[in-house]
């Protein structure tokens, strides 16, 4: 498994979030409520979609799939001057990320995520940092198409 290490500059996002867990996955509900509002966001940087997870500091200690976290559907914007009604803002701070490419349908993303956390991360010089995790879906993303691609960004920091 190959990772590209990137230093991310702060990103300003506008979108929606929902509280969910891995057991009670509400991703479809979230995106279904966000996409109709997307056209009201005027100062987007590009056409990319961002799927983000904001976890608590201890989320991965004694991992529990029923533990809740924030799941976001968003787009990147130039500034936060105009926020359409019923949408929210999220700022992803600067930091180091390990970037992986998931090839294949979104429904099979676990086949990429699992080795990141069970193989790549434990064998790297990094540990997970407490910043949003996210996937970037650009023109290569085709949801459940076997030829779909999306980038997975995992926040990292050097091990102590």
């Amino acid at each position: 498994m190959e990772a590209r290490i990137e230093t991310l500059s702060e990103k300003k996002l506008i979108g929606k979030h929902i509280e969910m867990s891995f057991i009670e996955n509400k991703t479809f509900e979230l995106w279904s409520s966000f996409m109709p509002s997307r056209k009201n966001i005027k100062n987007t940087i590009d056409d990319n979609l961002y799927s983000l997870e904001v976890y608590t500091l201890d989320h991965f200690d004694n991992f529990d799939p029923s533990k809740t976290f924030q799941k976001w559907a968003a787009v990147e914007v130039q500034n936060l001057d105009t926020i359409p009604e019923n949408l929210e803002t999220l700022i992803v701070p600067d930091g180091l990320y390990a970037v992986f490419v998931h090839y294949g349908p979104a429904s099979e993303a676990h086949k990429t995520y699992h080795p990141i956390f069970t193989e790549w991360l434990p064998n790297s010089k990094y540990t997970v940092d407490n910043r949003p995790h996210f996937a970037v879906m650009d023109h290569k993303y085709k949801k459940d198409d076997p030829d779909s691609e999306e980038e997975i960004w995992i926040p990292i920091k050097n091990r102590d």
Side-chain angles (χ1 to χ4, degrees):
M1 170 158 278
E2 295 268 333
R4 184 175 86 236
I5 306 302
E6 293 269 344
T7 301
L8 181 84
S9 296
E10 177 184 275
K11 288 191 175 293
K12 295 173 184 69
L13 304 172
I14 293 179
K16 280 189 164 188
H17 84 277
I18 197 166
E19 288 284 325
M20 62 178 255
S21 69
F22 288 110
I23 288 177
E24 250 192 289
N25 189 326
K26 299 177 182 175
T27 303
F28 179 79
E29 176 186 333
L30 172 64
W31 282 96
S32 297
S33 71
F34 170 68
M35 288 307 281
S37 303
R38 180 181 173 213
K39 66 185 179 304
N40 300 327
I41 304 169
K42 300 298 179 205
N43 57 345
T44 56
I45 290 191
D46 52 34
D47 291 333
N48 294 348
L49 297 172
Y50 288 78
S51 177
L52 303 97
E53 297 84 27
V54 178
Y55 300 108
T56 57
L57 194 54
D58 65 346
H59 190 87
F60 293 104
D61 300 346
N62 301 316
F63 181 70
D64 176 356
S66 66
K67 199 183 291 186
T68 61
F69 58 90
Q70 284 186 358
K71 178 82 167 194
W72 283 79
V75 294
E76 186 176 9
V77 293
Q78 296 166 11
N79 58 56
L80 300 175
D81 296 347
T82 308
I83 299 144
E85 195 174 328
N86 300 322
L87 295 179
E88 313 163 83
T89 64
L90 177 67
I91 294 177
V92 179
D94 297 357
L96 206 58
Y97 276 82
V99 184
F100 302 86
V101 178
H102 169 66
Y103 298 97
S107 59
E108 294 182 2
H110 64 279
K111 292 180 180 178
T112 301
Y113 279 99
H114 188 263
I116 290 170
F117 290 99
T118 61
E119 296 167 27
W120 186 87
L121 204 52
N123 293 309
S124 76
K125 63 180 184 179
Y126 304 105
T127 185
V128 175
D129 199 3
N130 188 32
R131 286 177 282 116
H133 297 226
F134 61 91
V136 180
M137 296 162 286
D138 65 10
H139 67 281
K140 294 181 219 149
Y141 178 75
K142 300 175 181 91
K143 198 173 176 183
D144 286 322
D145 188 310
D147 295 327
S148 183
E149 289 181 33
E150 64 187 282
E151 285 190 341
I152 296 170
W153 291 62
I154 307 295
I156 56 173
K157 62 183 178 181
N158 286 314
R159 290 189 194 277
D160 295 332

